[in-house]
Amino acid sequence: MKNIFLVVVFPILVLSIGCGSDPGIRGIIPSGTTGNYSAASLNGAYVYSLSGYDVSSGVSAVPYEQSGVFIADGNGHITGGIDDATEGTQSSLGNAITGTYTIASNGTGTITLTGSAFSSTNLAITLV
């Protein structure tokens, strides 16, 4: 019985794993893919959340969190929003933000947020 599995079932399993019609992993756009996205695809209110460690002090890693909501106008501009940030024991809450964004035809893009509490935050995005 074990030999039948190894001779018949195992090769079929290996072939079925290797085959498929999906052009890529869901959420990851294969290179060279084009689409119908544009700046108009990002229109309305969106939330974001960032977390990690700030290692720029050179002494030790300081916990960092930033989150907020921004409003995209469909024309490449962030017309408003609010940002909250904490780093270590310091916090900066309720900061007004504006900015710009770009969206490529394949749905990838960048957002640059600017506010009174920080010079700028750059984000990479993918629309699906």
Side-chain angles (χ1 to χ4, degrees):
M1 183 71 164
K2 193 175 192 180
N3 290 338
I4 292 174
F5 176 81
L6 292 175
V7 173
V8 177
V9 177
F10 186 72
I12 292 171
L13 180 62
V14 170
L15 287 174
S16 66
I17 291 172
C19 297
S21 61
D22 195 352
I25 299 170
R26 301 220 186 273
I28 298 175
I29 298 173
S31 62
T33 301
T34 60
N36 295 322
Y37 294 99
S38 69
S41 301
L42 194 67
N43 191 358
Y46 298 88
V47 297
Y48 61 94
S49 178
L50 313 168
S51 64
Y53 293 89
D54 183 357
V55 294
S56 64
S57 68
V59 178
S60 63
V62 178
Y64 172 82
E65 292 183 356
Q66 183 176 354
S67 61
V69 61
F70 66 85
I71 301 167
D73 69 355
N75 291 310
H77 304 97
I78 305 299
T79 58
I82 299 292
D83 180 83
D84 297 330
T86 62
E87 185 169 349
T89 59
Q90 298 179 355
S91 63
S92 179
L93 307 174
N95 300 299
I97 56 173
T98 58
T100 59
Y101 68 91
T102 61
I103 304 293
S105 65
N106 68 358
T108 61
T110 60
I111 298 174
T112 300
L113 300 175
T114 56
S116 58
F118 54 90
S119 57
S120 66
T121 298
N122 297 311
L123 306 171
I125 62 168
T126 302
L127 302 177
V128 292

